[in-house]
Amino acid sequence: MAAVEDKQSGSFDDSYPLVPLRDVVIFPSMATAILVGRQPSVNAVERAIESDRILVVATQKKAAVNDPDPDDLYDVGCIVRIGLFFRLPDGTIKVMLEGLSRVRILEFVERENYVGVRVEPLETSDKRTREIEALTRRVESLFTDYVRINQRVPNEVLQVLHSVEDRDTMADSIAAHLLIRNDVKQRLLETEDLEERLMLLSRILNEELQILEVEKDIDEKVSNQVQKSQKELFLHEKMKAIKRELGQGDEYDSFLELKRKIRKAGMTKEAQKVAKRELERLQMMSPMTPEATVVRNYIDTLASLPWKKRTKDNLDLEQVKKQLDDDHYGLEKVKERVLEFLSVVKLVGNLKGPILCFVGPPGVGKTSLGHSIADAIGRKFIRVSLGGTRDEAEIRGHRRTYIGSMPGRIIQSIRKAGTRNPVFMLDEIDKLGADFRGDPAAALLEVLDPDQNRHFSDHYLEVDFDVSEVLFITTANVTYTIPPALLDRMEVIRLPGYLLHEKIAIGQKFLLPKQMKAHGIEVGQLRISTTTLQEIIQRYTREAGVRNLERELASICRKVAKKLATGKATKAVRITKRSLESYLGIPKYSKSEIDEALSVGVATGLAWTESGGEILNIEANLMPGKGELTLTGQLGEVMQESAKIALSFARNKARLLELKNDFFSTVDVHVHVPEGAIPKDGPSAGVAITTALVSAFFDIPVRRDLAMTGEVTLRGRVLPVGGINEKSVAALRAGVKKLLLPKQNEKNIKELPDEVKKNMKIITVETMDDVFAHALSKKLDWGVEHRRRIGGFFGDETPSKPAH
């Protein structure tokens, strides 16, 4: 300390070079060697060597921090003197440091290439009180026991300690040799009062001695267990030899293999207990009995499940987003949900797997999206198709009392994946069936419930297996066939049909390169322009997805491959709109699905089916008759009711006219929805049917560039319907310019694709009068002209006045 006091004149005003320490706490009177490698620390050591070899060391709060700030360091450190030092070839310096005294850091001073500190000393005293003397003897006694039990502390330390008379120095020496955490050592360094420090040392030594005693007991038990294991090994080898003489050697080897599998499987306590019990049963059985085969298969199934094996998630969100974008065009909602899930996993560290349900028409990429998600986040992918599944045992497995019993498809698939956190796709969940063998949908309630699937019980296993870390993804075309209780457990994400520009982009970026590669066509040998691709989409396909588009492109690739293989094409084949018919034949569809000519009694409705949105051309016709209503086109019960409500509303409106009292009893009404082979149902065609009837009654054509959807009431109110996104996409695809939606569906307009909102005028309506104002080609007048028209339809120019 003399050199230090001379330099500072007793004031500690000058700054000292600072060296932060990662994993060591240096005490006064302690000598230790450290390696200095960080450049600011090397510069500080160099500076101290050039002057008086005095510097300050302070321990970092977190050893992993490479460039510590003042907040990363404890504010109590130690002034040290540099003894021997060696410069190593890699630029680091190995120095021997001797602790001089405790100091508190007051201020950090930025120097040219290192950090300095101004400090104040922490004064300690060596009072000779009875309490200190008693504590000193207690600490010495405890430390002697500590060194005796802990083999990592050399006995020479005790000899050095007995030669130390200064109590303060003795306490620091003991603290320096304790094998404890740095934060505990730092507390000892920061404790100025000797009595308090000795008391703290006494508590720490007591705790360490208790831990060492426990470790000693454990070591003795392990040693005894090793001796027992060696004895068992000897006996097993002897038994093995005896069984080999009896011709049962292979069976014994199989038994030992099962025992090893159970030990390494990492099962839960419950499962391990069951497996060991079954193994003991197996050992007592004759290997030739059928029961032995059942038990052996059961144990093997238990031991081969991934009880603790899991894959590490790729939490690089930018990389995951890039891979999802590379694999699929659009589908922003789905991608955003996956990134949200990974973000929470990154922040929390663990999360129950969500239950996602992708709902959309065929061909929009629901199944392939699941595979892409698994690849992006680095998980295994499993797919199970549920279409047509009617047996509950397919999900939960069969009980072992049955011959040929096996686990359900959930457990089998997880076993095959070899990891407890795969991406598990349950495909076509809307096509589950049910019969006398049970209801698979009811069995899925436990699997797809995040609060229950931690304890999923398979009938075959009869022990709980945790599937809460599995990322379940289900797919469906519609949701109304899914039981409400099952649907409530899933987060539904709807995938609408693709728009024209999206199909073009998908065709160019994904489908065409894929088909060219599949047919052996190199890049540059086949060229299809954007306009040609648009022609294929509009004239040869009519779908919400792109599955038929891929088939048409495959057909083109086959014909081009034939030309290349036979030598008929020696350079790049260019497909144009003119040459398209020679590859795909006559176009299957016209560019527009609606008739541009004005028609009376024909209205354009919209439907939402499993295949996406569809256009419905609803026709109504009047003819002399007996007041009957005829409905054709395979209409379901709900749609038939909509037609009856529409007729009742139209008749109620017609009462405002001066018609004969028997008018509606002398006219038949026929409503037909074309494509009669396809069943149709639902209330959303009510507005279109009502419009077609009113158009027919009053001989007013309906605008053909307009489509409508909505349920209608007897009072003429227009009620909201579902599938607005899919219906609007279908309307745009059909060439519709104006779309009528229920007023209560106004909230859905914000979610419509930008192209739909840009290319179609969307109008919301509350009543049928609003619909008539936009849909009919001229304003509906309840006056004389139409009364004359209806009266004259049956040869009576002067209709009677209505009865009041």
Side-chain angles (χ1 to χ4, degrees):
M1 278 297 295
V4 180
E5 290 171 357
D6 290 344
K7 174 179 177 179
Q8 300 179 87
S9 302
S11 64
F12 282 86
D13 289 335
D14 295 340
S15 65
Y16 291 91
L18 172 68
V19 174
L21 302 178
R22 285 182 188 271
D23 51 7
V24 64
V25 178
I26 295 180
F27 287 84
S29 304
M30 172 183 172
T32 186
I34 65 169
L35 278 173
V36 182
R38 293 181 284 193
Q39 194 57 47
S41 298
V42 171
N43 295 337
V45 172
E46 296 280 6
R47 172 61 181 159
I49 292 172
E50 291 173 2
S51 55
D52 54 6
R53 296 199 173 198
I54 302 297
L55 52 79
V56 173
V57 293
T59 305
Q60 294 179 199
K61 295 175 182 176
K62 293 183 180 179
V65 178
N66 285 323
D67 188 13
D69 293 328
D71 292 339
D72 297 320
L73 301 175
Y74 291 107
D75 59 356
V76 174
C78 188
I79 282 190
V80 298
R81 178 186 291 112
I82 298 175
L84 296 176
F85 63 91
F86 304 96
R87 290 184 173 85
L88 302 179
D90 60 354
T92 60
I93 302 177
K94 185 173 183 179
V95 295
M96 180 64 72
L97 302 179
E98 178 192 357
L100 299 179
S101 67
R102 289 173 171 78
V103 291
R104 186 182 305 279
I105 298 174
L106 299 177
E107 181 182 359
F108 289 83
V109 182
E110 289 288 341
R111 298 302 185 192
E112 182 178 352
N113 56 1
Y114 70 93
V115 177
V117 290
R118 291 192 175 93
V119 298
E120 67 174 2
L122 297 180
E123 297 297 337
T124 58
S125 61
D126 187 12
K127 297 178 182 179
R128 296 279 182 161
T129 64
R130 290 180 181 179
E131 289 79 5
I132 290 178
E133 188 65 29
L135 283 170
T136 301
R137 292 180 183 182
R138 175 63 177 163
V139 168
E140 282 181 329
S141 174
L142 290 172
F143 186 66
T144 301
D145 293 339
Y146 178 81
V147 173
R148 178 176 51 80
I149 298 175
N150 196 334
Q151 302 297 322
R152 292 175 290 176
V153 180
N155 289 324
E156 290 78 5
V157 173
L158 292 176
Q159 298 174 6
V160 175
L161 194 66
H162 291 322
S163 65
V164 177
E165 295 183 1
D166 183 73
R167 299 293 183 262
D168 190 69
T169 304
M170 184 210 66
D172 286 342
S173 297
I174 291 175
H177 287 95
L178 289 179
L179 303 177
I180 55 179
R181 298 195 317 270
N182 282 342
D183 59 329
V184 180
K185 283 189 175 185
Q186 182 67 30
R187 283 171 56 199
L188 289 167
L189 181 67
E190 294 175 358
T191 305
E192 300 178 51
D193 185 73
L194 179 58
E195 183 178 345
E196 187 179 341
R197 198 181 331 147
L198 288 169
M199 186 68 73
L200 181 59
L201 264 175
S202 177
R203 286 200 300 268
I204 293 171
L205 283 167
N206 265 321
E207 291 175 4
E208 288 296 311
L209 282 171
Q210 290 176 9
I211 293 171
L212 287 171
E213 288 293 344
V214 173
E215 288 181 353
K216 185 180 178 181
D217 291 342
I218 292 172
D219 290 340
E220 289 176 357
K221 289 179 182 177
V222 169
S223 178
N224 294 335
Q225 186 66 36
V226 169
Q227 293 175 4
K228 183 181 177 183
S229 299
Q230 290 174 345
K231 181 180 178 181
E232 288 179 353
L233 179 62
F234 172 75
L235 292 174
H236 279 310
E237 289 297 325
K238 197 169 183 178
M239 188 183 294
K240 190 174 179 181
I242 294 170
K243 285 184 174 286
R244 195 176 291 115
E245 289 295 323
L246 295 173
Q248 299 178 0
D250 292 341
E251 182 62 31
Y252 185 71
D253 289 342
S254 174
F255 173 79
L256 290 180
E257 178 64 19
L258 286 175
K259 191 173 183 180
R260 184 188 64 81
K261 281 185 175 181
I262 292 172
R263 189 173 63 252
K264 292 187 175 181
M267 301 180 189
T268 61
K269 289 182 179 180
E270 177 195 9
Q272 195 172 44
K273 182 179 178 181
V274 171
K276 287 181 177 179
R277 185 184 68 215
E278 294 297 317
L279 190 63
E280 290 173 2
R281 284 185 60 213
L282 178 64
Q283 194 174 10
M284 303 300 294
M285 293 178 185
S286 169
M288 304 303 294
T289 60
E291 180 69 12
T293 304
V294 173
V295 174
R296 190 181 298 107
N297 290 338
Y298 174 72
I299 297 172
D300 188 60
T301 300
L302 270 182
S304 59
L305 285 173
W307 295 93
K308 288 188 176 179
K309 295 178 183 176
R310 56 172 61 82
T311 52
K312 187 177 180 181
D313 288 335
N314 174 21
L315 299 179
D316 186 343
L317 301 182
E318 290 297 327
Q319 182 182 341
V320 172
K321 186 177 186 303
K322 182 178 183 302
Q323 184 163 348
L324 290 175
D325 288 339
D326 290 343
D327 292 347
H328 287 82
Y329 183 85
L331 307 179
E332 298 303 327
K333 279 190 178 181
V334 185
K335 296 175 183 177
E336 184 65 24
R337 183 63 184 86
V338 174
L339 291 175
E340 287 172 0
F341 165 68
L342 290 178
S343 300
V344 176
V345 171
K346 188 173 183 179
L347 294 176
V348 177
N350 191 16
L351 185 70
K352 292 180 182 178
I355 317 297
L356 305 180
C357 181
F358 296 162
V359 179
V364 296
K366 299 185 295 295
T367 304
S368 61
L369 186 59
H371 207 301
S372 177
I373 290 171
D375 289 342
I377 66 178
R379 292 193 182 188
K380 296 290 184 66
F381 179 73
I382 311 168
R383 176 183 170 272
V384 171
S385 178
L386 298 178
T389 301
R390 294 178 174 273
D391 190 354
E392 181 214 5
E394 289 283 318
I395 307 299
R396 283 189 173 274
H398 303 80
R399 298 193 182 277
R400 283 185 291 145
T401 53
Y402 296 101
I403 297 174
S405 60
M406 61 180 64
R409 297 173 75 179
I410 302 292
I411 294 296
Q412 284 189 55
S413 300
I414 292 176
R415 178 187 178 187
K416 183 178 179 181
T419 174
R420 62 181 294 170
N421 64 336
V423 173
F424 202 129
M425 173 157 281
L426 299 169
D427 219 359
E428 310 293 351
I429 197 171
D430 57 326
K431 297 172 181 63
L432 280 171
D435 59 14
F436 63 92
R437 291 169 293 182
D439 186 358
L444 282 173
L445 292 178
E446 182 184 5
V447 181
L448 300 182
D449 191 332
D451 294 326
Q452 297 183 35
N453 59 15
R454 287 179 59 86
H455 307 287
F456 172 64
S457 178
D458 186 275
H459 289 158
Y460 181 82
L461 295 184
E462 295 181 336
V463 293
D464 292 342
F465 187 83
D466 184 2
V467 295
S468 63
E469 294 183 35
V470 177
L471 174 54
F472 283 105
I473 299 176
T474 64
T475 69
N477 296 129
V478 293
T479 56
Y480 61 82
T481 59
I482 303 174
L486 184 58
L487 186 64
D488 182 60
R489 283 161 167 78
M490 299 185 290
E491 179 180 343
V492 176
I493 300 177
R494 298 195 179 274
L495 282 67
Y498 292 117
L499 299 171
L500 178 60
H501 76 280
E502 292 176 322
K503 290 184 178 181
I504 292 172
I506 292 170
Q508 291 175 332
K509 293 180 180 179
F510 300 98
L511 302 184
L512 185 57
K514 175 184 173 183
Q515 291 302 324
M516 288 175 64
K517 183 178 180 181
H519 290 84
I521 301 173
E522 296 179 1
V523 177
Q525 290 184 319
L526 172 61
R527 295 179 181 175
I528 300 179
S529 65
T530 301
T531 54
T532 306
L533 191 60
Q534 181 175 334
E535 186 75 7
I536 296 172
I537 294 168
Q538 291 181 325
R539 304 295 299 277
Y540 292 89
T541 68
R542 183 141 295 168
E543 57 178 345
V546 290
R547 195 165 284 159
N548 288 328
L549 174 60
E550 186 172 10
R551 291 194 186 101
E552 299 298 336
L553 292 175
S555 178
I556 292 174
C557 287
R558 286 195 298 271
K559 291 179 172 56
V560 172
K562 181 182 176 183
K563 286 186 177 182
L564 294 171
T566 56
K568 293 182 179 179
T570 56
K571 56 182 181 179
V573 178
R574 186 184 297 274
I575 309 297
T576 64
K577 291 173 69 173
R578 286 187 178 182
S579 62
L580 201 55
E581 286 192 23
S582 62
Y583 289 92
L584 299 179
I586 299 171
K588 302 173 185 177
Y589 308 99
S590 61
K591 286 189 177 181
S592 175
E593 297 179 49
I594 57 176
D595 187 2
E596 295 182 0
L598 293 176
S599 300
V600 173
V602 180
T604 304
L606 295 170
W608 179 27
T609 69
E610 295 183 9
S611 301
E614 295 290 342
I615 291 292
L616 294 179
N617 289 309
I618 297 172
E619 302 173 344
N621 203 7
L622 305 181
M623 63 202 79
K626 301 178 181 179
E628 294 180 355
L629 172 64
T630 305
L631 303 172
T632 56
Q634 281 212 57
L635 308 186
E637 289 185 9
V638 177
M639 203 165 184
Q640 290 182 30
E641 290 176 359
S642 294
K644 293 174 183 177
I645 291 170
L647 180 59
S648 296
F649 171 77
R651 291 177 64 177
N652 189 50
K653 274 288 187 183
R655 288 180 62 193
L656 300 175
L657 307 178
E658 296 179 356
L659 298 178
K660 290 181 178 180
N661 291 332
D662 61 348
F663 169 71
F664 284 103
S665 62
T666 58
V667 61
D668 286 349
V669 179
H670 187 170
V671 176
H672 175 65
V673 183
E675 298 187 41
I678 301 174
K680 310 167 191 72
D681 205 358
S684 63
V687 168
I689 295 173
T690 306
T691 303
L693 287 172
V694 170
S695 170
F697 282 153
F698 302 113
D699 197 25
I700 302 176
V702 181
R703 299 183 187 276
R704 301 300 293 130
D705 61 348
L706 176 142
M708 62 195 77
T709 184
E711 181 181 354
V712 69
T713 69
L714 286 172
R715 299 290 182 268
R717 290 183 60 236
V718 179
L719 301 183
V721 291
I724 297 299
N725 205 326
E726 291 80 0
K727 292 175 180 177
S728 65
V729 170
L732 181 65
R733 185 174 63 234
V736 171
K737 301 300 181 184
K738 187 183 293 186
L739 178 63
L740 300 185
L741 298 178
K743 180 71 175 178
Q744 295 181 49
N745 282 119
E746 195 168 15
K747 57 182 181 296
N748 302 108
I749 297 176
K750 296 179 181 179
E751 299 179 0
L752 296 180
D754 291 336
E755 188 172 347
V756 170
K757 292 186 281 189
K758 179 181 177 182
N759 294 301
M760 277 198 309
K761 185 177 180 181
I762 301 174
I763 301 168
T764 57
V765 292
E766 292 186 276
T767 65
M768 284 307 303
D769 288 338
D770 299 334
V771 175
F772 298 148
H774 294 285
L776 301 180
S777 60
K778 58 182 180 179
K779 186 175 180 180
L780 183 62
D781 184 2
W782 303 99
V784 177
E785 178 183 349
H786 299 295
R787 294 197 295 273
R788 184 182 301 117
R789 149 78 182 103
I790 295 173
F793 187 81
F794 300 104
D796 187 356
E797 292 296 337
T798 310
S800 61
K801 292 184 180 181
H804 293 285

